[in-house]
Amino acid sequence: MAEIALRDVQKFFGPNQVIKDMNLVIEDGEFIVMLGQSGCGKTTTLRAIAGLETVTEGTITIDGEEVQDRRAADRDIAFVFQSFSLYPHMTVYENIAFPLRAVGMSTEERDREVREVAEVLRITPLLDRRPSALSGGDMQRVAIGRALVRRPKALLMDEPIGALDAKLREEMRAEIKRLHMARNSTSVYVTHDQIEAMSLADRIVIMHDGVLQQIGAPDEVYLRPANLFVAQFVGSPVMNVEPVQLSANGDGAHVHLAGDGTGFHFDEGLLSAVPRDAGRVSLGIRPEAVHLSHEESAGALGGVTTNIEPLGSHDIVDVRIGEARLRARTPAGFVAAEGAPVWVSLDTGEAHFFDNETGLALREAH
Amino acid sequence: MSAVRTPREVLLNRVAVVAVFVALFIMLAPIYWIASTSFKPRNLATTVPPTILFEPTVAPYVKTFVKRSQLRGPVEEEVYEAAPWWEQLVLDGGEKVVRSPSGEVKPSGYGQRFMNSLIVAVVSTIFAVSMGTLTAYGFSRFKVAGKDDWLFFILSTRMLPPVVVAIPMFLMYRVVGLNDTHLGLIILYTAFNLSFSVWIMKGFIDEIPREYEEAALVDGYTRMQAFFKIVLPEAMTGIAATAVFCFITAWNEYAFALIMTNRNAQTAPPFIPSQIGSGLPDWTVIAASTVLFLIPVAIFTFLLRNHLLRGMSFGAIRK
Ligand SMILES: Nc1ncnc2c1ncn2[C@@H]1O[C@H](COP(=O)(O)OP(=O)(O)OP(=O)(O)O)[C@@H](O)[C@H]1O
Ligand SMILES: [Mg+2]
């Protein structure tokens, strides 16, 4: 088990900078999930830690030792690939035993280790099969077994269950969680599935275009997104983000959406870090915090529904207010038809403000 | 699979089946011709129309291996009786087996030529395939400066017919003393086959996901170990296909063997027709030595048939 640290890591492929100024400390026994869109550099970061890719600049340390110039074989790290992870010409048993052959273990000891790992992963009955005779889920189970059998310092997984169907993914997710609990190995897990990230991670690392956007516990990135990208990337349906104007109103301010004369009232306490200059800020609010009502109430703004997306347990309703558009989450069937007038109020405590220029969240530092 | 087919498709399918049989017949006819001639008595070999039904004899095969000379007169009874069965077959044909003063049968030289062919083809195939595989691996996995130019250059060595360089090669070989040596032919055939081998193997190795090797690298193996333990087994289909093609090319090569060798290292292809030279041609012997010559390629191909069938798709649908 080990602590892994990346300091000022830069990675170029030719002229393309794929990792920019990456600083990240992964603590011993921690389960880190890297989340980001396709092409944002997750795999490259993982491969750099494993030693499959050199870094252009910066240092990578494992347990305090600099390893960026060491061969993959000398870093004692295991890697689970998304696909093609098992050798087709070997049986499951031989696949799992393969990493142990590299270190020259006695046959009995090797056999014991392989069987123990197989037991943990519940793949003992499959040991004599060839990978081609396994289901996708079992294949990845074996791949994880091969990674764990050596008891490496850290376990890196690159979308290990990304290629499986939804039901199996859910099962495997639980399995991976259980394994991590049992072995407590330092793990870095790459995915672009938010639910996977939320359910597995001790901390989530969110990346965009090679830049680390935020590191934090799952509820932290959800409740306190550091910037616009994280705000809109995490959570489904996507957070509403609308440019707003502020005008003083009693012991707080009115927050005006484009083309709306009245504005929502926010208490001063919620706005302490928000500048009042025109055109500088955007309001971010999740559809869960947008409430619709058929009756007018104090502070609510009138709007018209433009689209209804039924999702079974609830509906996502688009509402036009002035020139702005907000999406709200309502009970199923709450709004019967498009074009209906509704009254919109906000759960102002759940609102976020972002600087239009930097995209950073405007919030008082604690 | 039993997809719905229209009557038109059914008809086309029938036509295709007939076409396949016609092609099969055209391809097998010469082989049947040679094989049947190799079992005919000499006087039936060149009849017009061809003799279809005859009593097969192995005399041509015996004659293929022993040195013979024309009999001047009829054989004496007791000599004929004393001769072993195979020698009687030769005597029946009006020839006698040439023996050394100590009474040993003199070989025709075919056996030695056959061995030469085997040595040259096997060794040059091993060289071409192993060097080709290593080169292809390098081109497939590493950044090589001017990679595309190198690959084109390698391919370009096949763009002119090899005989074009026969005379300069012959002169060079004479200077360095490689004429009529096994090594000389092995070098030549390896050189012919290498470009082919590099290109085919590159195709196959490109198809092997890098993840396989990378997994081995992470698991504590060196690149060399990863190559031997992972890449080679995975590339076996490609290696088998390439080996068959290289072997056939080297085995069948005629022009260079004719020019570069005459005795010591001569291979079977130039030797077989040279048997026509003395006296009336004995087509049965030529047919018999040709049939024997076909066998190694047939065996080799048969042994590797599973790999070959998969290899035909050039790795496109491997899983
Ligand atoms: N060997 C390479 N040579 C050149 N560019 C590369 C190489 N590997 C990756 N890239 C580029 O680097 C960027 C980041 O790639 P990376 O594979 O790390 O993304 P990712 O976040 O893992 O994406 P995905 O979710 O699709 O797997 C991409 O734009 C990719 O095209
Ligand atoms: Mg990736």
Side-chain angles (χ1 to χ4, degrees):
Chain A
M1 292 307 106
E3 178 196 278
I4 301 172
L6 282 74
R7 293 213 171 77
D8 303 321
V9 169
Q10 322 273 355
K11 172 69 188 175
F12 286 82
F13 283 117
N16 286 351
Q17 184 160 13
V18 174
I19 304 177
K20 295 167 193 157
D21 284 321
M22 173 76 91
N23 278 287
L24 173 64
V25 177
I26 299 159
E27 270 148 38
D28 188 13
E30 195 174 24
F31 199 111
I32 288 275
V33 174
M34 297 185 74
L35 185 61
Q37 289 155 330
S38 190
C40 70
K42 307 179 297 285
T43 298
T44 308
T45 309
L46 216 57
R47 290 169 56 88
I49 298 174
L52 294 171
E53 207 78 73
T54 57
V55 296
T56 316
E57 256 177 67
T59 57
I60 298 175
T61 60
I62 297 176
D63 274 344
E65 278 177 73
E66 289 198 6
V67 296
Q68 70 271 15
D69 298 323
R70 279 200 210 158
R71 293 182 316 167
D74 301 330
R75 296 193 191 189
D76 192 15
I77 275 181
F79 203 112
V80 179
F81 296 86
Q82 172 168 8
S83 49
F84 303 121
S85 38
L86 302 179
Y87 306 127
H89 64 280
M90 298 183 189
T91 62
V92 167
Y93 183 97
E94 289 163 341
N95 262 290
I96 299 179
F98 189 74
L100 298 178
R101 286 175 188 279
V103 295
M105 209 178 240
S106 76
T107 318
E108 302 87 69
E109 210 174 332
R110 201 161 61 215
D111 188 66
R112 191 151 35 79
E113 295 286 337
V114 172
R115 286 185 192 284
E116 189 194 316
V117 137
E119 205 57 52
V120 173
L121 286 158
R122 307 187 188 128
I123 48 173
T124 309
L126 308 177
L127 283 177
D128 293 326
R129 294 223 197 139
R130 296 248 165 203
S132 54
L134 299 182
S135 66
D138 286 338
M139 259 188 217
Q140 289 311 80
R141 246 185 222 124
V142 175
I144 293 170
R146 190 173 69 192
L148 289 175
V149 73
R150 203 157 44 83
R151 299 174 191 280
K153 283 191 178 152
L155 179 58
L156 311 182
M157 294 171 266
D158 190 0
E159 307 197 29
I161 57 178
L164 308 181
D165 62 51
K167 182 107 176 54
L168 199 52
R169 275 222 300 273
E170 210 167 295
E171 237 176 86
M172 289 293 290
R173 212 162 63 207
E175 189 106 328
I176 290 173
K177 181 115 195 163
R178 179 176 66 83
L179 268 178
H180 178 69
M181 293 297 177
R183 291 234 168 178
N184 214 31
S185 47
T186 308
S187 307
V188 185
Y189 185 103
V190 162
T191 180
H192 50 237
D193 180 336
Q194 289 187 35
I195 301 176
E196 234 167 87
M198 292 285 172
S199 66
L200 287 173
D202 292 328
R203 284 193 300 160
I204 295 180
V205 171
I206 294 174
M207 285 184 71
H208 178 55
D209 271 348
V211 180
L212 193 154
Q213 305 286 323
Q214 187 171 4
I215 315 176
D219 57 345
E220 195 178 332
V221 294
Y222 183 80
L223 297 174
R224 301 174 61 79
N227 57 35
L228 264 179
F229 175 81
V230 176
Q232 297 206 283
F233 187 70
V234 177
S236 171
V238 174
M239 181 189 282
N240 295 294
V241 174
E242 289 293 332
V244 289
Q245 307 274 358
L246 274 68
S247 66
N249 175 42
D251 60 340
H254 270 137
V255 172
H256 304 273
L257 299 169
D260 129 60
T262 325
F264 292 107
H265 176 79
F266 276 67
D267 288 336
E268 185 55 41
L270 299 168
L271 298 173
S272 53
V274 182
R276 308 298 161 96
D277 337 12
R280 280 209 44 193
V281 297
S282 289
L283 166 74
I285 188 141
R286 294 195 189 278
E288 294 89 312
V290 177
H291 302 294
L292 302 189
S293 159
H294 295 300
E295 278 106 48
E296 182 170 3
S297 59
L301 298 186
V304 177
T305 61
T306 57
N307 186 34
I308 301 163
E309 207 181 315
L311 293 176
S313 62
H314 58 271
D315 293 349
I316 305 297
V317 178
D318 287 16
V319 184
R320 192 157 42 77
I321 305 170
E323 285 152 32
R325 206 188 57 133
L326 290 181
R327 314 185 82 201
R329 183 178 151 146
T330 67
F334 181 77
V335 178
E338 286 153 22
V342 286
W343 295 95
V344 183
S345 57
L346 302 182
D347 206 339
T348 51
E350 304 265 308
H352 307 264
F353 289 93
F354 300 96
D355 186 314
N356 282 343
E357 230 142 83
T358 61
L360 292 178
L362 299 165
R363 181 177 297 135
E364 265 176 54
H366 333 250
Chain B
M1 278 263 292
S2 56
V4 177
R5 295 196 301 185
T6 64
R8 200 178 122 82
E9 281 174 324
V10 172
L11 183 71
L12 280 178
N13 187 36
R14 298 246 164 91
V15 172
V17 169
V18 171
V20 166
F21 272 100
V22 171
L24 190 67
F25 177 78
I26 291 173
M27 285 177 201
L28 288 183
I31 293 177
Y32 164 76
W33 191 267
I34 292 171
S36 73
T37 305
S38 77
F39 287 106
K40 281 179 184 174
R42 189 173 174 180
N43 57 341
L44 294 183
T46 51
T47 54
V48 181
T51 316
I52 304 290
L53 292 174
F54 56 89
E55 195 180 324
T57 164
V58 295
Y61 287 91
V62 175
K63 292 192 214 165
T64 297
F65 286 99
V66 298
K67 191 164 178 160
R68 297 150 287 134
S69 68
Q70 211 68 38
L71 276 174
R72 301 243 163 64
V75 222
E76 291 150 44
E77 192 79 10
E78 62 265 34
V79 174
Y80 187 85
E81 290 300 323
W85 65 269
W86 49 269
E87 192 165 352
Q88 286 176 356
L89 286 175
V90 177
L91 292 168
D92 290 343
E95 289 176 317
K96 70 173 199 282
V97 173
V98 177
R99 289 174 188 274
S100 67
S102 56
E104 279 154 31
V105 177
K106 283 204 172 171
S108 67
Y110 181 74
Q112 186 220 339
R113 305 304 198 278
F114 195 89
M115 277 311 294
N116 287 344
S117 269
L118 270 183
I119 293 168
V120 170
V122 167
V123 176
S124 72
T125 298
I126 290 172
F127 280 168
V129 173
S130 56
M131 282 155 54
T133 305
L134 283 172
T135 312
Y137 179 73
F139 276 120
S140 172
R141 292 296 196 256
F142 298 104
K143 277 207 197 103
V144 178
K147 179 191 272 188
D148 293 340
D149 299 324
W150 281 113
L151 283 169
F152 179 78
F153 171 70
I154 290 171
L155 188 66
S156 72
T157 59
R158 287 187 84 81
M159 290 184 183
L160 78 172
V163 257
V164 169
V165 298
I167 304 293
M169 286 307 300
F170 178 80
L171 296 176
M172 283 193 271
Y173 267 32
R174 199 172 57 186
V175 173
V176 295
L178 282 174
N179 274 333
D180 201 18
T181 60
H182 294 94
L183 183 62
L185 278 189
I186 289 169
I187 293 174
L188 265 181
Y189 293 171
T190 304
F192 289 163
N193 280 330
L194 196 52
S195 61
F196 173 80
S197 161
V198 169
W199 271 79
I200 298 292
M201 285 313 300
K202 177 157 184 303
F204 277 102
I205 292 177
D206 282 346
E207 293 281 318
I208 302 174
R210 281 161 180 259
E211 279 91 340
Y212 289 158
E213 283 153 88
E214 290 179 338
L217 291 183
V218 179
D219 285 341
Y221 290 90
T222 63
R223 189 164 274 280
M224 200 63 130
Q225 288 171 320
F227 176 78
F228 282 107
K229 287 181 200 278
I230 305 300
V231 180
L232 273 194
E234 288 299 313
M236 224 46 223
T237 295
I239 291 174
T242 313
V244 167
F245 287 121
C246 289
F247 184 82
I248 292 175
T249 309
W251 185 253
N252 289 346
E253 206 286 328
Y254 175 75
F256 277 93
L258 183 67
I259 297 165
M260 301 292 189
T261 62
N262 47 45
R263 173 175 299 276
N264 176 41
Q266 192 181 44
T267 53
F271 177 78
I272 292 172
S274 76
Q275 299 171 105
I276 301 179
S278 47
L280 275 177
D282 188 343
W283 291 107
T284 62
V285 175
I286 298 203
S289 44
T290 304
V291 168
L292 291 176
F293 183 71
L294 293 177
I295 290 174
V297 173
I299 292 177
F300 192 44
T301 313
F302 181 77
L303 289 178
L304 296 178
R305 67 193 180 285
N306 287 337
H307 284 304
L308 280 181
L309 281 179
R310 258 186 292 153
M312 287 305 165
S313 59
F314 276 61
I317 47 169
R318 72 191 295 291
K319 186 74 193 140

